[in-house]
Amino acid sequence: MEKLKKEIQSIVDVYKSRDLSKAELLCKKLILTNPKVAFLYNLMGLILADQKKIEQATEYYEEGLKIDPSFAMIYNNLGLLFFHQKSNGNVKEAEYYYKKSISLNNKIPEPHTNLGSLYNSQNKFQEAIHCYKKAILINPKFAYAHNNLANVYVSLGNFTEAKKHFNESIKL
């Protein structure tokens, strides 16, 4: 198990260095030797999505869900794929996946923040504020939620709250 953790961390480091083709190759090799580790399918989905290989990313996410149907972050990441495709049908899919992720684990700030961004893109500002505040409640140091909340407050003309959250985001 410790060896697997080190190998996964090595792939994550390569991924963070933005050598995506190398990260993809390493992750594929690790999946071959560890085909029942859902986390690897999620990681592969992220690597492929960053390379704009959307169909392949979706396939890996779906494989990961076959192994662990309660893996909340995979649903969040599927939501991101649909949200970034930006058509009306895809927005509904994205909303479904974010809510599914939250229903499985409501202690992860990312799906709350992503759902807030979806609502913000639809000018549903109160819903967006609620989602961002929920993410901040879960993790007060989640800079993205503070930044996104500040942007909503700017849209609403509430510059006092916007400044407060922009400053917190910068500080973090």
Side-chain angles (χ1 to χ4, degrees), residues 24 28 31 38 40-42 44-45 48 55-65 74:
E24 179 182 349
K28 280 182 180 175
I31 287 172
L40 290 173
Y41 293 86
N42 184 55
M44 180 60 93
L48 292 166
E55 285 182 34
Q56 287 177 299
T58 302
E59 289 171 11
Y60 273 93
Y61 288 142
E62 289 171 352
E63 284 300 311
L65 290 174
I74 291 179

Side-chain angles (χ1 to χ4, degrees), residues 61-77:
Y61 288 142
E62 289 171 352
E63 284 300 311
L65 290 174
K66 287 178 187 172
I67 295 164
D68 183 357
S70 64
F71 198 119
M73 281 305 289
I74 291 179
Y75 289 102
N76 176 70
N77 293 337

Side-chain angles (χ1 to χ4, degrees), residues 136-149:
I136 291 167
L137 190 63
I138 294 165
N139 180 359
K141 296 182 180 198
F142 194 52
Y144 294 109
H146 284 284
N147 183 69
N148 293 348
L149 180 56

Side-chain angles (χ1 to χ4, degrees), residues 50-117:
D50 277 2
Q51 295 178 80
K52 308 294 186 235
K53 298 177 181 179
I54 304 306
E55 285 182 34
Q56 287 177 299
T58 302
E59 289 171 11
Y60 273 93
Y61 288 142
E62 289 171 352
E63 284 300 311
L65 290 174
K66 287 178 187 172
I67 295 164
D68 183 357
S70 64
F71 198 119
M73 281 305 289
I74 291 179
Y75 289 102
N76 176 70
N77 293 337
L78 278 165
L80 285 170
L81 289 182
F82 283 100
F83 181 66
H84 291 296
Q85 292 176 11
K86 297 275 189 196
S87 74
N88 286 336
N90 290 333
V91 169
K92 289 289 180 203
E93 291 285 325
E95 182 178 22
Y96 165 79
Y97 285 119
Y98 294 146
K99 287 181 175 181
K100 177 73 173 179
S101 179
I102 291 166
S103 75
L104 290 168
N105 185 345
N106 67 358
K107 301 293 184 207
I108 306 170
E110 288 87 352
H112 293 282
T113 300
N114 292 334
L115 184 58
S117 295

Side-chain angles (χ1 to χ4, degrees), residues 36 99 115 125 127 133:
K36 298 294 184 200
K99 287 181 175 181
L115 184 58
F125 300 123
E127 292 93 331
K133 284 184 174 183

